Amino acid sequence: MFDNKENRYVTRGVDEQVPKKIQLYCWNLIDKKRSETETELDYLQIFEFNPDNQRQAIEVIHRQEEPFFIEYHTYTIKGKMPDFQIKKLWVIDDRSHQTMLLPEDY
């Protein structure tokens, strides 16, 4: 899973509500995890976000269910903190393409 980087899509909800830089950050976390591990990634990658206005940062929790892993990352905001209300984001790989979506888009 997540071997092909050519057919990547985002839903309208993601496009409208998630800043492009955060979208790219999540794609990069998937690519990094894929390159670091010999086990295959799960078809569903889950990202959870906790904005930290004090530090001008967003805590990003990247996880998957099978095989289970969880990683914590900090995305530091340069400039004004975006109005970012999204709590969870999914990325699904169905082997023909990869789609980034909000849970309510499913």
Side-chain angles (χ1 to χ4, degrees):
M1 294 290 176
F2 294 96
D3 295 324
N4 183 359
K5 298 179 187 180
E6 292 179 20
N7 295 320
R8 288 185 167 176
Y9 303 95
V10 298
T11 62
R12 181 175 298 164
V14 170
D15 190 46
E16 293 173 351
Q17 298 178 53
V18 181
K20 298 283 189 257
K21 289 182 180 184
I22 294 175
Q23 293 176 33
L24 290 172
Y25 185 72
C26 292
W27 287 120
N28 287 335
L29 288 176
I30 291 171
D31 293 340
K32 181 179 176 197
K33 186 67 177 175
R34 179 69 188 107
S35 69
E36 290 175 348
T37 185
E38 291 184 19
T39 59
E40 191 163 311
L41 293 182
D42 193 8
Y43 77 98
L44 174 63
Q45 299 296 299
I46 302 165
F47 294 91
E48 297 177 45
F49 305 98
N50 297 311
D52 182 349
N53 293 327
Q54 299 283 359
R55 294 183 6 201
Q56 287 285 106
I58 298 173
E59 178 189 42
V60 180
I61 303 165
H62 178 198
R63 65 185 176 91
Q64 74 177 26
E65 298 296 322
E66 195 61 42
F68 181 79
F69 83 78
I70 188 166
E71 295 179 343
Y72 297 88
H73 304 275
T74 301
Y75 180 80
T76 304
I77 306 295
K78 294 181 176 116
K80 184 179 178 248
M81 185 79 160
D83 182 26
F84 185 63
Q85 303 299 318
I86 301 302
K87 296 294 181 198
K88 192 177 282 189
L89 185 69
W90 293 347
V91 182
I92 297 175
D93 184 344
D94 71 1
R95 296 208 185 264
S96 67
H97 63 282
Q98 299 162 20
T99 305
M100 184 177 285
L101 64 154
L102 302 173
E104 57 266 24
D105 290 338
Y106 188 70

